[in-house]
Amino acid sequence: MSDKQFRRKTPEELLQSIQKIKKGRLKIIIGTVSGSGKTYHMLQEGNVLKERGIDVVIGLISETNRQKTIDQIGCLEKMATIKWEENASVKQDLDLDKIIARNPEVVLVDALAHQNRPDAMFPTRLEDINYLISKNISVITTMNIYEIKEVHEEADKLTGSKVKVNLFVPEETLAMADDLKLLDVTPEVILQRSREEDIYNEEEKVNRYQLYHQSNLAVLRELALRFLAGEVNDALDEYREKHGMVGPSGASEKILVTVQYHWNGSILVRRGQQISKRLGGDLQVVCFQPPNKKFTNDELTFKRSIIKLVEKVGGDFEELPLNSDSIASEIVDYSIKNNITSIVLGQSKRTRWEEIVSGSIVNKILRKTKNIDVFIVADRTEKDGERVIPTKQVNKETIEPYRRLSAQELAQEIHKIKRGTLKVYIGAAPGVGKTYTMLREANELKKQGIDIVIGLLETHGRRETIEKVGDLEIIPRKQIAYKGTTLEEMDTESVIKRNPEVVLIDELAHTNVPGSKFYKRYEDVEEILNAGISVISTMNIQHLESLNDSVEQITGVRVRETVPDHVLRDANEIELIDISPKALRERMREGRIYASIKIEQSLNNFFKTGNLIALRELALREVADDVDERLEAWERDLTLRGPWRQEEVIFVCVNLKSNSERLIRRGFRIAYRLKATWYVAYVKDHNKLSEEESLSLKKIKELTERLGGTFELYETTDRRHVFVELVNKISEKRTTHVIMGQSARTRWEEIKTGSIVQKLLRELRHLDVLVVADQSINS
């Protein structure tokens, strides 16, 4: 227990604490572009607070808002603003004196990035807001993500200078906020709203016309998601450090490349950069050197080129003293301290006998820590006779646009046309507002004349959600008899028979009750989509199959109900419902998520602040990756993670132990990001499998196929031939990237009888090899 909690506060600390409780709160609602719905959500939140007895006023809202947004003002009190002209354009400033005299608890202020009139009390609206906060008035305000200078520079580059900004907001503004909320809206929705609006002057129309293209909007959306994920990651690091938590959080990737001042250092840095970009992670490059070492001229030349390259690719470089005899220990200590998730190394040059005498750095690293994968970069110099970055360029076949479609291809295209549209709302945790938002959209669609019904709704007794149902038609649930009791489930047949244009189906990852036609709800959704009915659904990020290991690492809970990644990949729209952990825990305490008897238990378990921060980051990054994949599908080079044009083949080696499922999920995530063909292989080396082994084999085969991989079973009569069989198949598949688990044997057992992992590492030095840490082995 820390002594800090018992230490008396200094007078300065007491004064700071008193000043803090006398200040108002700041909440910033962030959008991708104008039209994201920032003002609408701000007004909606103001109405919710007013209903709860909070004194809320509108300090200022933009006059160029959609009628739907204006309608959201409701009975909120509007304060007068100070209007002035600049270049024949009418502008508005806050009337600070009137707001201070009125002294509300909360004031709503649109458009944070604003330059005030020349004779105003403060030059900017941000300073106005800080002044109000100092007077114990809380503020809810709005801004676009590109109004932060750092983001604007990237946005300007990626959109061809089409993002116009009059004033930047300092980046530290987000750190000042008590609450940040990102409105994640798809490009399709933004474009639809833009077509419906006719409220902008000619200059604004030209600016919007230049910017509002699907690819530009997608790039800005991805920028917003990744930037906020970075902010959340900083908060997570701070939280974990404060609570003495070490090692990777499970929410993001941090890649460490260890180099020496040698010609292959640049190859390792380049490969590390490729890996970090495709995984959406940060890149750190480190060189450990003995203290007081004198470098040769060649080494100094390589050092300069490596430092220059690291700076060019956006990584961080450090040269650190090697303070012990074990380079593995130094690497592991550094990795734990810096929350590294993957270590990138060059291939070992040692023979088997040298490894027996001196040991293997890879095995030493894996035995010293958990949760850190080791990526061993291919050395192609011996095989290919040249120094190359280890990826092979392959010319892919181009589709001939004049070729007539076959009957099968024609049927597939017709099926795509007839199939319904799938939209999925994703959240970081229960209670973020997915179902509420889905119902709000449904009511708006109904007003537009769309035939929409509720197929399955889980309100969990939440009053606000129940009230949002309104007069939407609900399809009665199907009654299913099971073991003397009656259970309820969605009536898929009735939904298809009713044949609406759109159906709402909550909780996509749900497992159906026994006796249902399908095992999982997403299979019901698939049948409904194939019937030509569109579906709007919801799910939490922890239910995505390939994130199962990350979620367990974050929360300590293995999620049993999952959705295969292809379901989201095939969805037409994915939208994130973002909320800060602090706001979510407040909802929980107020009884707006679960019944009162579950509140304390939830707050102390799944809803712990650290869990919610990490899950929020995971959700932001996953949706950003999805945006990136869709951008790349349009064959644009605007993706933040960069194009990956090499033909990769991933080969995952598994056994029947508990770590195999983790290897498969890891293999899928890498293969999906690398656009790779991927195989999962098991070599059976004894005649009859036990019942437990047969069950394990069935599970890994099903998981592979569920994630879209190819499972292959090879057989040999002698365990000593397993290695030979794997090497032959790896070569046959023209593999570029092998994934395997670490050896479970002790070093003495490896010396005595050998290790398949060590044999493969020696044999496959011309290939990239990822050795996945076994989380079941204690550090």
Side-chain angles (χ1 to χ4, degrees):
M1 184 179 289
S2 172
D3 61 347
K4 290 182 181 178
Q5 68 186 98
F6 298 108
R7 184 176 57 80
R8 182 179 286 114
K9 284 185 171 67
T10 65
E12 291 78 11
E13 289 171 330
L14 281 170
L15 183 60
Q16 283 180 342
S17 298
I18 292 167
Q19 287 175 338
K20 190 173 181 180
I21 62 172
K22 285 186 175 181
K23 287 179 65 176
R25 288 167 56 89
L26 173 61
K27 177 169 183 173
I28 303 176
I29 299 173
I30 303 172
T32 306
V33 290
S34 298
S36 299
K38 303 179 297 296
T39 310
Y40 179 93
H41 279 80
M42 179 180 72
L43 293 169
Q44 184 183 58
E45 190 152 336
N47 277 300
V48 170
L49 290 172
K50 187 176 176 68
E51 286 173 11
R52 291 162 58 190
I54 306 294
D55 184 15
V56 183
V57 301
I58 298 173
L60 182 150
I61 65 166
S62 170
E63 294 188 345
T64 56
N65 271 305
R66 305 171 74 209
Q67 185 57 47
K68 190 172 78 169
T69 302
I70 302 300
D71 294 342
Q72 194 65 27
I73 292 174
C75 58
L76 289 170
E77 179 186 346
K78 266 184 89 173
M79 302 293 295
T81 60
I82 299 171
K83 295 189 177 182
W84 57 288
E85 283 193 21
E86 183 181 63
N87 299 327
S89 176
V90 177
K91 297 182 179 291
Q92 295 184 91
D93 288 352
L94 288 169
D95 192 328
L96 291 177
D97 292 335
K98 287 184 179 177
I99 294 172
I100 296 295
R102 171 65 176 74
N103 194 30
E105 291 177 276
V106 179
V107 60
L108 311 180
V109 181
D110 218 355
L112 177 61
H114 171 80
Q115 186 83 39
N116 288 334
R117 65 198 184 282
D119 60 340
M121 186 187 303
F122 301 106
T124 66
R125 187 163 293 164
L126 174 61
E127 290 166 288
D128 288 344
I129 286 172
N130 284 333
Y131 177 66
L132 292 173
I133 290 169
S134 72
K135 298 296 183 182
N136 201 15
I137 297 173
S138 293
V139 177
I140 302 176
T141 187
T142 67
M143 64 172 286
N144 290 318
I145 191 67
Y146 53 72
E147 289 166 336
I148 298 168
K149 189 167 186 179
E150 179 188 344
V151 179
H152 179 264
E153 289 171 357
E154 186 73 11
D156 206 46
K157 180 175 69 177
L158 290 168
T159 62
S161 301
K162 293 188 174 64
V163 182
K164 309 299 180 187
V165 176
N166 296 319
L167 180 71
F168 292 112
V169 173
E171 188 183 335
E172 57 268 22
T173 306
L174 300 190
M176 289 163 39
D178 298 279
D179 194 0
L180 293 174
K181 179 174 183 174
L182 175 67
L183 293 183
D184 178 45
V185 185
T186 63
E188 293 80 8
V189 171
I190 297 286
L191 289 170
Q192 180 61 35
R193 289 176 182 172
S194 183
R195 285 191 288 268
E196 292 170 358
E197 296 170 9
D198 189 26
I199 54 177
Y200 297 95
N201 61 38
E202 287 307 311
E203 182 184 355
E204 289 171 325
K205 284 181 179 178
V206 170
N207 290 342
R208 287 167 72 88
Y209 177 77
Q210 291 176 340
L211 178 63
Y212 282 43
H213 291 280
Q214 192 171 37
S215 56
N216 287 339
L217 295 174
V219 164
L220 292 173
R221 182 188 182 195
E222 185 181 354
L223 265 175
L225 289 160
R226 292 206 188 282
F227 185 82
L228 189 57
E231 294 289 308
V232 173
N233 182 257
D234 291 343
L236 181 59
D237 286 347
E238 186 179 323
Y239 176 89
R240 288 171 63 82
E241 185 177 342
K242 182 179 176 182
H243 290 80
M245 301 164 76
V246 297
S249 67
S252 60
E253 299 279 351
K254 293 188 178 180
I255 313 301
L256 173 67
V257 179
T258 63
V259 297
Q260 293 298 307
Y261 300 139
H262 187 249
W263 68 263
N264 73 340
S266 59
I267 291 179
L268 296 177
V269 172
R270 285 284 187 188
R271 195 55 162 158
Q273 181 222 5
Q274 289 175 329
I275 294 165
S276 64
K277 283 202 97 174
R278 294 311 301 179
L279 297 181
D282 298 324
L283 177 66
Q284 185 73 39
V285 180
V286 172
C287 179
F288 290 97
Q289 292 288 344
N292 305 316
K293 177 182 174 178
K294 300 292 184 184
F295 295 117
T296 65
N297 288 335
D298 281 349
E299 286 174 327
L300 288 171
T301 301
F302 286 126
K303 177 179 177 177
R304 285 192 294 271
S305 65
I306 287 169
I307 291 172
K308 188 175 179 180
L309 177 60
V310 173
E311 184 179 340
K312 180 182 175 183
V313 300
D316 292 315
F317 177 82
E318 282 188 272
E319 181 182 283
L320 296 173
L322 183 60
N323 294 319
S324 70
D325 294 334
S326 173
I327 182 69
S329 296
E330 298 277 1
I331 292 171
V332 168
D333 290 345
Y334 181 92
S335 298
I336 293 171
K337 183 180 177 182
N338 292 276
N339 299 326
I340 298 299
T341 57
S342 293
I343 299 169
V344 179
L345 301 168
Q347 281 282 3
S348 171
K349 300 291 186 183
R350 291 176 175 175
T351 65
R352 180 167 184 249
W353 290 112
E354 286 174 329
E355 287 182 349
I356 288 172
V357 174
S358 305
S360 157
I361 290 178
V362 172
N363 264 0
K364 284 179 180 178
I365 289 172
L366 288 168
R367 287 205 175 97
K368 287 177 180 293
T369 187
K370 298 194 301 179
N371 303 337
I372 301 179
D373 299 339
V374 178
F375 188 97
I376 305 153
V377 176
D379 180 0
R380 292 220 174 95
T381 53
E382 185 176 332
K383 190 176 179 69
D384 294 347
E386 59 180 332
R387 302 173 181 182
V388 293
I389 295 174
T391 51
K392 293 183 178 180
Q393 185 77 34
V394 174
N395 293 322
K396 295 186 178 181
E397 291 183 20
T398 56
I399 298 171
E400 173 53 63
Y402 294 102
R403 184 181 62 81
R404 184 178 287 120
L405 296 176
S406 68
Q408 185 179 1
E409 289 170 334
L410 189 61
Q412 287 174 345
E413 292 302 314
I414 292 171
H415 174 73
K416 287 178 187 176
I417 294 168
K418 289 184 175 180
R419 180 181 163 90
T421 296
L422 174 61
K423 178 173 184 176
V424 182
Y425 284 109
I426 291 184
V432 298
K434 302 179 301 297
T435 306
Y436 180 91
T437 307
M438 177 177 73
L439 288 167
R440 189 183 68 215
E441 182 180 4
N443 280 292
E444 289 173 4
L445 288 171
K446 184 167 183 177
K447 286 178 186 175
Q448 295 169 28
I450 302 295
D451 181 15
I452 188 164
V453 302
I454 296 174
L456 196 290
L457 186 68
E458 299 288 2
T459 66
H460 299 287
R462 297 168 192 159
R463 181 179 61 82
E464 292 170 355
T465 305
I466 294 168
E467 288 174 354
K468 263 295 170 192
V469 173
D471 59 353
L472 290 170
E473 178 186 343
I474 301 176
I475 304 292
R477 299 191 188 195
K478 188 174 186 178
Q479 307 289 311
I480 299 175
Y482 179 71
K483 292 186 177 180
T485 186
T486 301
L487 304 174
E488 291 186 336
E489 197 52 84
M490 180 173 70
D491 194 335
T492 303
E493 291 81 3
S494 293
V495 170
I496 294 173
K497 186 177 179 181
R498 166 65 176 74
N499 194 31
E501 289 177 274
V502 184
V503 59
L504 309 185
I505 301 176
D506 222 352
E507 299 189 359
L508 190 59
H510 170 78
T511 302
N512 290 334
V513 301
S516 300
K517 179 179 179 181
F518 296 110
Y519 177 61
K520 301 289 290 188
R521 185 167 289 163
Y522 68 78
E523 296 174 289
D524 290 294
V525 167
E526 188 67 23
E527 184 165 86
I528 291 169
L529 290 169
N530 287 335
I533 300 168
S534 293
V535 175
I536 302 176
S537 191
T538 66
M539 66 173 283
N540 290 319
I541 197 67
Q542 67 263 28
H543 296 294
L544 193 60
E545 175 70 63
S546 69
L547 293 178
N548 203 255
D549 303 301
S550 296
V551 172
E552 183 180 25
Q553 188 177 334
I554 290 167
T555 65
V557 176
R558 172 67 72 176
V559 176
R560 299 299 172 192
E561 291 193 321
T562 59
V563 172
D565 290 58
H566 72 80
V567 175
L568 285 192
R569 191 167 66 237
D570 295 340
N572 302 83
E573 282 187 52
I574 294 174
E575 197 167 304
L576 176 69
I577 305 301
D578 183 49
I579 185 173
S580 70
K582 182 186 286 187
L584 189 57
R585 282 174 62 85
E586 283 176 7
R587 282 189 186 181
M588 176 66 79
R589 289 192 188 94
E590 292 166 359
R592 296 163 63 195
I593 300 177
Y594 293 145
S596 56
I597 57 172
K598 294 177 66 177
I599 291 175
E600 282 306 313
Q601 180 187 359
S602 298
L603 287 172
N604 294 324
N605 290 284
F606 189 86
F607 281 76
K608 286 190 290 192
T609 300
N611 288 354
L612 295 179
I613 297 172
L615 289 170
R616 185 189 190 193
E617 182 181 353
L618 201 64
L620 285 161
R621 292 189 187 280
E622 194 62 28
V623 177
D625 286 350
D626 180 79
V627 176
D628 189 277
E629 297 297 338
R630 290 169 195 263
L631 258 175
E632 209 165 312
W634 301 338
E635 298 186 339
R636 295 292 299 269
D637 292 334
L638 296 174
T639 58
L640 270 68
R641 291 187 295 152
W644 191 287
R645 301 301 181 202
Q646 289 74 26
E647 179 70 18
E648 298 271 356
V649 177
I650 312 294
F651 194 97
V652 185
C653 307
V654 299
N655 51 33
L656 300 181
K657 294 178 181 175
S658 58
N659 198 37
S660 291
E661 290 188 27
R662 183 164 185 262
L663 289 173
I664 294 167
R665 280 187 279 264
R666 190 70 167 166
F668 161 76
R669 289 188 71 78
I670 293 172
Y672 179 49
R673 282 167 168 74
L674 269 56
K675 309 293 184 293
T677 304
W678 65 292
Y679 301 90
V680 174
Y682 168 65
V683 182
K684 180 185 172 190
D685 60 1
H686 50 289
N687 289 330
K688 188 170 175 58
L689 297 178
S690 67
E691 187 177 338
E692 185 179 349
E693 287 175 326
S694 296
L695 181 62
S696 295
L697 182 62
K698 182 172 181 282
K699 284 174 69 177
I700 62 175
K701 183 176 185 293
E702 288 175 349
L703 177 60
T704 302
E705 292 171 351
R706 198 159 64 239
L707 289 173
T710 302
F711 179 80
E712 298 197 348
L713 174 66
Y714 311 131
E715 295 192 40
T716 180
T717 55
D718 190 334
R719 189 183 188 284
R720 289 172 295 183
H721 294 161
V722 170
F723 159 73
V724 176
E725 189 71 25
L726 284 172
V727 169
N728 288 340
K729 295 299 181 182
I730 286 167
S731 176
E732 183 184 299
K733 304 289 186 191
R734 301 177 67 85
T735 300
T736 60
H737 192 137
V738 177
I739 298 175
M740 64 181 81
Q742 70 183 94
S743 173
R745 296 182 172 189
T746 64
R747 178 148 184 252
W748 173 243
E749 286 173 330
E750 288 179 355
I751 292 171
K752 186 179 176 183
T753 60
S755 156
I756 291 176
V757 172
Q758 288 297 311
K759 287 179 181 177
L760 285 171
L761 287 175
R762 281 193 297 274
E763 185 67 26
L764 304 176
R765 286 176 176 173
H766 61 291
L767 300 178
D768 291 339
V769 180
L770 175 65
V771 184
V772 178
D774 186 350
Q775 295 183 351
S776 65
I777 296 176
N778 294 324
S779 58

PDB file of all heavy atoms in Angstrom, residues 65-79:
ATOM      1  N   ASN A  65     -27.635  25.487 -39.315  1.00  0.00           N
ATOM      2  CA  ASN A  65     -27.938  24.133 -38.861  1.00  0.00           C
ATOM      3  C   ASN A  65     -29.165  23.586 -39.571  1.00  0.00           C
ATOM      4  O   ASN A  65     -30.050  24.340 -39.994  1.00  0.00           O
ATOM      5  CB  ASN A  65     -28.162  24.111 -37.348  1.00  0.00           C
ATOM      6  CG  ASN A  65     -26.875  23.880 -36.569  1.00  0.00           C
ATOM      7  OD1 ASN A  65     -26.171  22.912 -36.804  1.00  0.00           O
ATOM      8  ND2 ASN A  65     -26.545  24.802 -35.674  1.00  0.00           N
ATOM      9  N   ARG A  66     -29.240  22.282 -39.695  1.00  0.00           N
ATOM     10  CA  ARG A  66     -30.384  21.621 -40.315  1.00  0.00           C
ATOM     11  C   ARG A  66     -31.635  21.858 -39.470  1.00  0.00           C
ATOM     12  O   ARG A  66     -31.562  22.048 -38.264  1.00  0.00           O
ATOM     13  CB  ARG A  66     -30.131  20.118 -40.433  1.00  0.00           C
ATOM     14  CG  ARG A  66     -28.861  19.758 -41.153  1.00  0.00           C
ATOM     15  CD  ARG A  66     -28.567  18.280 -41.051  1.00  0.00           C
ATOM     16  NE  ARG A  66     -29.446  17.494 -41.892  1.00  0.00           N
ATOM     17  CZ  ARG A  66     -29.813  16.239 -41.642  1.00  0.00           C
ATOM     18  NH1 ARG A  66     -29.407  15.649 -40.552  1.00  0.00           N
ATOM     19  NH2 ARG A  66     -30.601  15.593 -42.465  1.00  0.00           N
ATOM     20  N   GLN A  67     -32.806  21.793 -40.125  1.00  0.00           N
ATOM     21  CA  GLN A  67     -34.064  22.018 -39.412  1.00  0.00           C
ATOM     22  C   GLN A  67     -34.233  20.986 -38.295  1.00  0.00           C
ATOM     23  O   GLN A  67     -34.737  21.307 -37.217  1.00  0.00           O
ATOM     24  CB  GLN A  67     -35.249  21.934 -40.394  1.00  0.00           C
ATOM     25  CG  GLN A  67     -36.604  22.282 -39.765  1.00  0.00           C
ATOM     26  CD  GLN A  67     -36.627  23.671 -39.147  1.00  0.00           C
ATOM     27  OE1 GLN A  67     -36.182  24.639 -39.768  1.00  0.00           O
ATOM     28  NE2 GLN A  67     -37.120  23.775 -37.923  1.00  0.00           N
ATOM     29  N   LYS A  68     -33.772  19.765 -38.548  1.00  0.00           N
ATOM     30  CA  LYS A  68     -33.885  18.720 -37.528  1.00  0.00           C
ATOM     31  C   LYS A  68     -33.112  19.105 -36.267  1.00  0.00           C
ATOM     32  O   LYS A  68     -33.542  18.833 -35.144  1.00  0.00           O
ATOM     33  CB  LYS A  68     -33.353  17.389 -38.087  1.00  0.00           C
ATOM     34  CG  LYS A  68     -33.645  16.185 -37.199  1.00  0.00           C
ATOM     35  CD  LYS A  68     -33.265  14.890 -37.886  1.00  0.00           C
ATOM     36  CE  LYS A  68     -31.771  14.671 -37.838  1.00  0.00           C
ATOM     37  NZ  LYS A  68     -31.379  13.318 -38.259  1.00  0.00           N
ATOM     38  N   THR A  69     -31.973  19.774 -36.473  1.00  0.00           N
ATOM     39  CA  THR A  69     -31.176  20.232 -35.328  1.00  0.00           C
ATOM     40  C   THR A  69     -31.876  21.378 -34.609  1.00  0.00           C
ATOM     41  O   THR A  69     -31.938  21.411 -33.376  1.00  0.00           O
ATOM     42  CB  THR A  69     -29.777  20.684 -35.801  1.00  0.00           C
ATOM     43  OG1 THR A  69     -29.139  19.590 -36.456  1.00  0.00           O
ATOM     44  CG2 THR A  69     -28.924  21.140 -34.631  1.00  0.00           C
ATOM     45  N   ILE A  70     -32.426  22.323 -35.364  1.00  0.00           N
ATOM     46  CA  ILE A  70     -33.151  23.445 -34.761  1.00  0.00           C
ATOM     47  C   ILE A  70     -34.328  22.930 -33.926  1.00  0.00           C
ATOM     48  O   ILE A  70     -34.601  23.420 -32.824  1.00  0.00           O
ATOM     49  CB  ILE A  70     -33.656  24.421 -35.858  1.00  0.00           C
ATOM     50  CG1 ILE A  70     -32.487  24.941 -36.705  1.00  0.00           C
ATOM     51  CG2 ILE A  70     -34.445  25.573 -35.242  1.00  0.00           C
ATOM     52  CD1 ILE A  70     -31.427  25.687 -35.945  1.00  0.00           C
ATOM     53  N   ASP A  71     -35.017  21.908 -34.449  1.00  0.00           N
ATOM     54  CA  ASP A  71     -36.149  21.324 -33.712  1.00  0.00           C
ATOM     55  C   ASP A  71     -35.718  20.745 -32.371  1.00  0.00           C
ATOM     56  O   ASP A  71     -36.508  20.645 -31.437  1.00  0.00           O
ATOM     57  CB  ASP A  71     -36.820  20.229 -34.549  1.00  0.00           C
ATOM     58  CG  ASP A  71     -37.493  20.787 -35.797  1.00  0.00           C
ATOM     59  OD1 ASP A  71     -37.733  22.010 -35.846  1.00  0.00           O
ATOM     60  OD2 ASP A  71     -37.758  20.001 -36.724  1.00  0.00           O
ATOM     61  N   GLN A  72     -34.429  20.338 -32.289  1.00  0.00           N
ATOM     62  CA  GLN A  72     -33.925  19.711 -31.068  1.00  0.00           C
ATOM     63  C   GLN A  72     -33.756  20.725 -29.933  1.00  0.00           C
ATOM     64  O   GLN A  72     -33.574  20.341 -28.786  1.00  0.00           O
ATOM     65  CB  GLN A  72     -32.573  19.037 -31.380  1.00  0.00           C
ATOM     66  CG  GLN A  72     -32.056  18.070 -30.329  1.00  0.00           C
ATOM     67  CD  GLN A  72     -32.948  16.853 -30.160  1.00  0.00           C
ATOM     68  OE1 GLN A  72     -33.649  16.454 -31.086  1.00  0.00           O
ATOM     69  NE2 GLN A  72     -32.962  16.269 -28.988  1.00  0.00           N
ATOM     70  N   ILE A  73     -33.851  22.021 -30.239  1.00  0.00           N
ATOM     71  CA  ILE A  73     -33.741  23.043 -29.182  1.00  0.00           C
ATOM     72  C   ILE A  73     -34.825  22.848 -28.132  1.00  0.00           C
ATOM     73  O   ILE A  73     -34.589  23.021 -26.925  1.00  0.00           O
ATOM     74  CB  ILE A  73     -33.830  24.468 -29.799  1.00  0.00           C
ATOM     75  CG1 ILE A  73     -32.583  24.739 -30.648  1.00  0.00           C
ATOM     76  CG2 ILE A  73     -33.981  25.528 -28.706  1.00  0.00           C
ATOM     77  CD1 ILE A  73     -32.645  26.045 -31.418  1.00  0.00           C
ATOM     78  N   GLY A  74     -36.018  22.449 -28.599  1.00  0.00           N
ATOM     79  CA  GLY A  74     -37.103  22.186 -27.651  1.00  0.00           C
ATOM     80  C   GLY A  74     -37.405  23.408 -26.799  1.00  0.00           C
ATOM     81  O   GLY A  74     -37.563  24.528 -27.308  1.00  0.00           O
ATOM     82  N   CYS A  75     -37.442  23.196 -25.489  1.00  0.00           N
ATOM     83  CA  CYS A  75     -37.757  24.299 -24.579  1.00  0.00           C
ATOM     84  C   CYS A  75     -36.516  24.832 -23.872  1.00  0.00           C
ATOM     85  O   CYS A  75     -36.617  25.466 -22.821  1.00  0.00           O
ATOM     86  CB  CYS A  75     -38.807  23.859 -23.561  1.00  0.00           C
ATOM     87  SG  CYS A  75     -38.305  22.426 -22.582  1.00  0.00           S
ATOM     88  N   LEU A  76     -35.332  24.562 -24.458  1.00  0.00           N
ATOM     89  CA  LEU A  76     -34.114  25.098 -23.860  1.00  0.00           C
ATOM     90  C   LEU A  76     -34.064  26.622 -24.017  1.00  0.00           C
ATOM     91  O   LEU A  76     -34.398  27.155 -25.070  1.00  0.00           O
ATOM     92  CB  LEU A  76     -32.879  24.479 -24.533  1.00  0.00           C
ATOM     93  CG  LEU A  76     -32.591  23.001 -24.224  1.00  0.00           C
ATOM     94  CD1 LEU A  76     -31.488  22.483 -25.142  1.00  0.00           C
ATOM     95  CD2 LEU A  76     -32.194  22.814 -22.769  1.00  0.00           C
ATOM     96  N   GLU A  77     -33.642  27.288 -22.989  1.00  0.00           N
ATOM     97  CA  GLU A  77     -33.530  28.751 -23.008  1.00  0.00           C
ATOM     98  C   GLU A  77     -32.326  29.166 -23.849  1.00  0.00           C
ATOM     99  O   GLU A  77     -31.234  28.637 -23.697  1.00  0.00           O
ATOM    100  CB  GLU A  77     -33.361  29.266 -21.571  1.00  0.00           C
ATOM    101  CG  GLU A  77     -33.206  30.765 -21.468  1.00  0.00           C
ATOM    102  CD  GLU A  77     -32.905  31.229 -20.045  1.00  0.00           C
ATOM    103  OE1 GLU A  77     -33.084  30.421 -19.102  1.00  0.00           O
ATOM    104  OE2 GLU A  77     -32.474  32.392 -19.889  1.00  0.00           O
ATOM    105  N   LYS A  78     -32.556  30.164 -24.750  1.00  0.00           N
ATOM    106  CA  LYS A  78     -31.481  30.662 -25.609  1.00  0.00           C
ATOM    107  C   LYS A  78     -31.016  32.026 -25.116  1.00  0.00           C
ATOM    108  O   LYS A  78     -31.820  32.938 -24.934  1.00  0.00           O
ATOM    109  CB  LYS A  78     -31.977  30.796 -27.054  1.00  0.00           C
ATOM    110  CG  LYS A  78     -31.704  29.602 -27.929  1.00  0.00           C
ATOM    111  CD  LYS A  78     -32.142  29.867 -29.356  1.00  0.00           C
ATOM    112  CE  LYS A  78     -31.036  30.491 -30.164  1.00  0.00           C
ATOM    113  NZ  LYS A  78     -31.380  30.604 -31.610  1.00  0.00           N
ATOM    114  N   MET A  79     -29.719  32.148 -24.892  1.00  0.00           N
ATOM    115  CA  MET A  79     -29.151  33.433 -24.507  1.00  0.00           C
ATOM    116  C   MET A  79     -28.889  34.263 -25.769  1.00  0.00           C
ATOM    117  O   MET A  79     -28.579  33.715 -26.841  1.00  0.00           O
ATOM    118  CB  MET A  79     -27.830  33.229 -23.753  1.00  0.00           C
ATOM    119  CG  MET A  79     -27.926  32.372 -22.497  1.00  0.00           C
ATOM    120  SD  MET A  79     -28.881  33.146 -21.185  1.00  0.00           S
ATOM    121  CE  MET A  79     -27.872  34.569 -20.801  1.00  0.00           C
TER     122      MET A  79
END
